[in-house]
Amino acid sequence: MTLEKARELISVQANMGGGYNRNGARLILAEVQREHGQQAVDRLIREFDLETLFGFTAGTSFSAPG
């Protein structure tokens, strides 16, 4: 997944809010972490203020289930 696509998808999740969207954002961040590393994840968390929205903090490691 490109970082641009990740931004687009996280934007949708952030705009809608809620528990299901939190899980969707977590899965997107897991994919970003796998492909682009922790710094890219931390930038997205700050860019979309995901700490306030979903409680995600910079430095948190995300992984996809399975």
Side-chain angles (χ1 to χ4, degrees), residues 3 5-6 9-10 13-15 18 23-24 30-31 33 38 40 45-48 53-57 62 66:
L3 290 175
K5 183 65 174 177
L9 294 172
I10 287 184
Q13 302 301 315
N15 286 334
N23 289 333
E31 182 72 15
Q33 183 169 355
Q38 187 65 45
I45 289 171
R46 285 189 294 274
E47 182 178 338
F48 290 97
L53 289 171
F54 299 130
F56 299 156
T57 58
F62 295 93

Side-chain angles (χ1 to χ4, degrees), residues 39-64:
Q39 289 181 349
V41 170
D42 292 348
R43 280 193 304 271
L44 290 171
I45 289 171
R46 285 189 294 274
E47 182 178 338
F48 290 97
D49 195 20
L50 298 179
E51 185 168 1
T52 301
L53 289 171
F54 299 130
F56 299 156
T57 58
T60 300
S61 180
F62 295 93
S63 62

